[in-house]
Amino acid sequence: MELEQAKKRVDELNKDLHHYNYAYYMEDKSLISDYAFDLLLKELIDLESQFPNLKRPDSPTQRVGGTINKSFKTVQHSTRMLSLGNTYSEDDLLDFDARVAKGLEGQSYEYFCELKFDGVAISLQYENDVLVRAVTRGDGTKGDDITDNAKTIRTIPLKIKANLNTLEVRGEVFMPKNVFEQLNKEREEAGEDLYANARNTASGSLKMMDSAQVAKRKLDCYLYMLLADGHNSHEEAIHHLEKWGFNVSPTYQKCSNIQEVLRYIHHWSEKRHQLPVETDGIVIKVNSLDQQELLGFTAKTPKWAISYKYKSESACTKLNAVTYQVGRTGAITPVAELAPVLLAGTTVKRASLHNSNEIERLNLHQGDFVFVEKGGEIIPKVTGVDLSKRAANSLPIAYITECPACQTSLVRKEGEASHYCPNTQQCPPQIKGRIAHFIHRNALDIDSLGERTISLLYEKGWLKKPSDLYKLTKEQLLELEGFKDLSATNLLNGINNSKNAPFEAVLFGLGIRYVGKTVAEKLIEHFRTIDALMSANFEELVGVQEIGDRIAESVIAYFLEEENRIEIEKLKSAGLQFVTTANEKASNILAGKTFVVSGVFNNYSRDALKAAIKTNGGKVVSSISKKLDFLIAGDKMGPSKKEKAEKLEVRIISEEDFESLLLK
Ligand code: IVH
């Protein structure tokens, strides 16, 4: 492609992708399919690598990251990033209000209330409306330049519409609750340690060296402060931010007196749990900027603002028993079975006790009354014991020494917190857990097979290993309680379809410890086939980016087990994918063919179709001629085009026909 032409296309792609992103992340509107979006993005990435001069600082390709920072540069803040005074009591708030009233010497004033988002403070600098620098709070005076990482956060605009030479905004980067939960679920499935809370995870993510990894963390950001001229109150500043395309939480409220502020606090005390972000309180700011200036600062905090922190809710309830769960890796998790108690909007009956160290730390006794809190407001956790309620003769909880499911003696490896049941091949919850993992959405995705059916099939002796799935017959299924012709057919179809699942999904599904989805992808990108992976030695494994000693050892140990190698052979014979086809798709399959794309399509935007043609070696032209190979016709295509194509005997195909061309 010529530079001139490339520039035009890069302009177009920049504009369209920004538009789709804005609609998706700020307006919750999906204008095009994920697939189509990815194709356009890929086209732009390719063009930018071909013509590096065309890469702009605000290009949507920055969202996917890819830069590696060995360390972050320290930068000075234009004005200090301050913290806020805290209070937990309404009386303190009334005192704050009295101080404000006194400081303003009889002037009338308003407050502006916001929720206090529990994340990491960030400062964003824009020059000529383009994001040029993002800096962490650091010690308040200087912070780390994390621009590449911040650019991967989709709600941080790379370009705004403020028409200002320079501009700084400040806000909070956070990991949405559902993203945090999902991340931990994936870590649990991969046998990795769980992250403690969303705030620390957001903070750790922002400081990762590889921005492509940050992009995967799906961080979000709310802005709540504008450093620029042109507004007289905080309310005006917030409205400017909204107008210019910044992500502002819609939970703010202007209050005309402290009583209204208290009502705001009560309003959100429970409701905040339904928000996508963790909040730990509210922030109260004097609205007028002149009045803020008049009130001034103490050494560390403004006198015109304060934060009210909600008490983290805790409840006291009876410990009925400690039970033990066996995970698919054999890890034992002790669980506190509690007398049901209401806590932050839900009834809590169970809480994880993590491991035996935790039980020792709490010095837990049988029949104790325990305090439970919601750790990060999501997962309940036992925080202590009410010793005043402990019976004099109660015995300490003795940790089990045998597996509760198969009675094998438990082991605990040097340096690990958890006990394990070593009976990997025979222990029922481990067997069932491995199958549940294999069929999981992120793995082979056989969604018509639930945990109950796995148990039934296991009890019949028909399902002990994933490869047994591919031997199941309809007759067997019809013997199971609750199965009818249709449900049996559906399950068999689901099992059959799983043979098309990509190698990445299969490798993840095997359940090798520490091989989560991302690790599976990395390994496959490098080794491409299971045979290559199986014969890789330690040095080769740790030579792959992001594969450390622990993962390498685990992969080697897995393939050393004869049972595992036999199982892989069986899965191969069943027809599962053990070789990757990735990157081969962008092929030359359409080389020499020309296409006209016309009309509206169901699965693609027109742009995405064109991109798919090009990435597979075809050529897109605009007018129909005798030399044209294909006209891809969507709905609402003009009748004259159709006529012309028919007259010139050009092949008219549907989008589905086009897809099958790519499969050839
Ligand atoms: S205003 C000088 N507004 O809380 C005032 N801060 O303890 C600066 N925070 O460092 C902050 N939500 O990281 C403000 N709506 C909000 C906030 C908020 C969370 C954080 C911020 C700040 C800390 C202050």
Side-chain angles (χ1 to χ4, degrees):
M1 196 184 278
E2 297 291 313
L3 180 66
E4 195 58 23
Q5 207 185 347
K7 190 180 169 309
K8 210 174 130 227
R9 184 62 187 148
V10 166
D11 283 348
E12 247 169 46
L13 286 165
N14 262 286
K15 189 165 144 271
D16 291 354
L17 289 166
H18 274 308
H19 177 64
Y20 297 141
N21 262 336
Y22 188 85
Y24 188 81
Y25 289 99
M26 306 297 284
E27 296 170 337
D28 256 342
K29 277 193 269 184
S30 190
L31 301 179
I32 115 177
S33 74
D34 288 357
Y35 176 72
F37 185 91
D38 288 346
L39 279 180
L40 295 179
L41 193 62
K42 183 165 183 309
E43 188 184 348
L44 185 54
I45 292 172
D46 290 348
L47 281 171
E48 286 176 351
S49 74
Q50 233 179 305
F51 303 94
N53 288 341
L54 297 181
K55 185 166 180 157
R56 313 177 185 178
D58 66 332
S59 166
T61 59
Q62 308 260 338
R63 300 291 198 202
V64 292
T67 38
I68 311 276
N69 284 287
K70 294 233 157 46
S71 64
F72 299 110
K73 213 168 65 201
T74 308
V75 257
Q76 192 85 17
H77 291 299
S78 61
T79 59
R80 276 187 60 190
M81 282 180 88
L82 295 166
S83 57
L84 292 168
N86 280 336
T87 154
Y88 288 88
S89 89
E90 298 192 357
D91 281 349
D92 281 356
L93 276 189
L94 297 179
D95 289 349
F96 166 77
D97 183 50
R99 287 196 302 274
V100 169
K102 191 161 166 239
L104 295 179
E105 298 165 346
Q107 295 178 18
S108 65
Y109 55 91
E110 294 169 325
Y111 288 118
F112 197 89
C113 292
E114 289 159 6
L115 282 156
K116 189 166 189 298
F117 311 109
D118 202 6
V120 195
I122 194 170
S123 151
L124 305 174
Q125 289 149 38
Y126 290 79
E127 278 169 18
N128 300 318
D129 286 355
V130 172
L131 175 67
V132 292
R133 197 168 303 111
V135 187
T136 61
R137 178 173 181 278
D139 64 3
T141 319
K142 46 193 184 331
D144 288 336
D145 182 332
I146 48 145
T147 312
D148 294 326
N149 289 349
K151 281 180 174 178
T152 69
I153 301 174
R154 312 239 165 193
T155 48
I156 293 184
L158 302 175
K159 199 180 161 90
I160 53 170
K161 294 169 187 153
N163 271 325
L164 289 175
N165 292 336
T166 64
L167 156 77
E168 180 178 346
V169 286
R170 291 178 182 176
E172 202 82 357
V173 169
F174 59 90
M175 177 170 279
K177 290 182 199 167
N178 60 348
V179 172
F180 175 69
E181 283 171 55
Q182 182 63 30
L183 180 68
N184 257 349
K185 227 171 111 192
E186 282 167 15
R187 290 183 74 84
E188 190 172 10
E189 279 159 11
E192 293 166 325
D193 295 336
L194 300 192
Y195 288 128
N197 60 54
R199 202 206 82 87
N200 291 357
T201 315
S203 163
S205 304
L206 259 195
K207 299 246 180 85
M208 294 207 283
M209 301 296 167
D210 176 359
S211 62
Q213 292 304 314
V214 186
K216 291 196 179 142
R217 289 293 173 92
K218 301 201 184 116
L219 298 172
D220 204 337
C221 180
Y222 279 141
L223 286 316
Y224 47 67
M225 196 166 171
L226 169 60
L227 303 178
D229 293 333
H231 57 275
N232 298 314
S233 68
H234 185 61
E235 182 186 26
E236 280 173 33
I238 290 293
H239 288 161
H240 281 153
L241 291 181
E242 288 176 327
K243 197 173 72 190
W244 296 338
F246 288 102
N247 196 25
V248 176
S249 166
T251 49
Y252 59 75
Q253 188 187 314
K254 190 165 74 173
C255 295
S256 34
N257 55 51
I258 200 75
Q259 294 310 322
E260 261 186 50
V261 171
L262 293 178
R263 280 199 290 279
Y264 178 85
I265 291 178
H266 300 155
H267 173 80
W268 285 106
S269 104
E270 277 298 312
K271 254 184 116 177
R272 69 197 173 95
H273 297 302
Q274 294 159 19
L275 295 171
V277 48
E278 300 280 2
T279 53
D280 58 353
I282 68 156
V283 180
I284 303 138
K285 302 171 183 173
V286 169
N287 193 24
S288 147
L289 296 198
D290 285 345
Q291 291 181 337
Q292 286 185 4
E293 201 176 319
L294 189 59
L295 288 164
F297 298 87
T298 67
K300 276 197 187 142
T301 60
K303 291 189 192 170
W304 44 265
I306 195 166
S307 83
Y308 173 90
K309 293 246 202 148
Y310 291 109
K311 286 191 202 68
S312 104
E313 279 183 72
S314 100
C316 187
T317 189
K318 187 165 184 233
L319 174 72
N320 286 333
V322 174
T323 57
Y324 298 86
Q325 287 180 346
V326 188
R328 77 177 158 82
T329 59
I332 307 290
T333 310
V335 178
E337 306 286 343
L338 306 166
V341 60
L342 200 64
L343 183 61
T346 54
T347 304
V348 174
K349 293 185 211 135
R350 315 180 79 205
S352 169
L353 290 165
H354 306 294
N355 51 50
S356 65
N357 294 349
E358 181 69 1
I359 295 181
E360 271 167 37
R361 189 184 69 81
L362 293 163
N363 184 19
L364 214 53
H365 281 47
Q366 290 172 12
D368 267 348
F369 280 80
V370 294
F371 296 107
V372 278
E373 274 181 29
K374 290 205 170 171
E377 314 274 355
I378 310 168
I379 316 152
K381 89 177 192 220
V382 176
T383 54
V385 175
D386 187 346
L387 290 174
S388 70
K389 290 190 181 152
R390 177 177 285 172
N393 55 356
S394 77
L395 295 173
I397 298 281
Y399 206 75
I400 49 167
T401 53
E402 289 180 357
C403 173
C406 72
Q407 282 72 50
T408 305
S409 289
L410 300 180
V411 294
R412 191 185 200 178
K413 280 191 218 128
E414 183 78 24
E416 289 202 13
S418 293
H419 287 74
Y420 281 84
C421 166
N423 184 15
T424 42
Q425 297 304 322
Q426 309 290 333
C427 178
Q430 295 190 51
I431 296 174
K432 290 191 239 175
R434 282 195 294 267
I435 292 170
H437 175 76
F438 184 78
I439 63 155
H440 186 272
R441 190 165 38 82
N442 284 336
L444 281 286
D445 192 19
I446 308 177
D447 65 355
S448 38
L449 185 58
E451 263 178 41
R452 206 181 72 93
T453 311
I454 294 178
S455 277
L456 290 174
L457 288 166
Y458 171 75
E459 276 149 31
K460 290 272 189 193
W462 297 332
L463 185 55
K464 290 193 173 153
K465 301 179 296 313
S467 60
D468 293 338
L469 284 168
Y470 301 91
K471 295 192 301 202
L472 289 175
T473 64
K474 195 160 183 183
E475 289 67 35
Q476 285 176 324
L477 293 181
L478 289 174
E479 266 185 52
L480 301 183
E481 195 195 310
F483 265 85
K484 299 237 165 48
D485 198 73
L486 183 66
S487 40
T489 308
N490 280 346
L491 178 49
L492 290 175
N493 283 343
I495 292 173
N496 205 29
N497 285 341
S498 72
K499 294 177 188 168
N500 298 326
F503 182 25
E504 285 81 353
V506 180
L507 183 59
F508 171 67
L510 293 179
I512 305 171
R513 202 166 172 212
Y514 306 127
V515 180
K517 263 191 83 173
T518 320
V519 171
E521 284 164 13
K522 291 273 167 213
L523 289 172
I524 289 176
E525 206 177 284
H526 186 88
F527 293 103
R528 302 197 67 89
T529 71
I530 191 92
D531 295 336
L533 179 60
M534 280 169 84
S535 53
N537 61 25
F538 184 82
E539 279 66 38
E540 286 173 275
L541 283 163
V542 292
V544 181
Q545 210 187 28
E546 278 172 62
I547 305 298
D549 295 7
R550 210 178 52 153
I551 301 173
E553 278 163 15
S554 169
V555 169
I556 288 173
Y558 181 88
F559 290 123
L560 271 179
E561 295 262 350
E562 191 174 6
E563 279 100 344
N564 293 336
R565 289 202 304 270
I566 297 174
E567 174 66 1
I568 286 167
E569 278 312 311
K570 287 187 180 161
L571 290 170
K572 268 190 189 169
S573 330
L576 268 65
Q577 311 292 320
F578 281 99
V579 174
T580 182
T581 50
N583 294 336
E584 287 164 14
K585 244 198 223 138
S587 67
N588 245 344
I589 213 160
L590 306 177
K593 302 277 182 262
T594 52
F595 293 81
V596 165
V597 179
S598 180
V600 182
F601 301 90
N602 292 324
N603 300 328
Y604 303 84
S605 72
R606 255 202 304 278
D607 278 342
L609 259 185
K610 289 181 186 170
I613 293 167
K614 288 184 219 159
T615 51
N616 286 288
K619 202 172 159 196
V620 180
V621 297
S622 53
S623 64
I624 297 173
S625 71
K626 219 176 150 48
K627 280 187 291 179
L628 180 67
D629 294 299
F630 297 99
L631 167 63
I632 312 183
D635 292 340
K636 300 190 189 132
M637 184 179 76
S640 62
K641 269 210 175 113
K642 188 162 180 250
E643 251 170 53
K644 187 165 179 195
E646 278 167 354
K647 209 169 104 199
L648 297 173
E649 292 178 18
V650 169
R651 270 182 72 184
I652 304 179
I653 62 171
S654 67
E655 60 187 303
E656 288 80 17
D657 297 333
F658 172 71
E659 282 173 344
S660 48
L661 278 184
L662 291 183
L663 295 176
K664 276 194 188 135

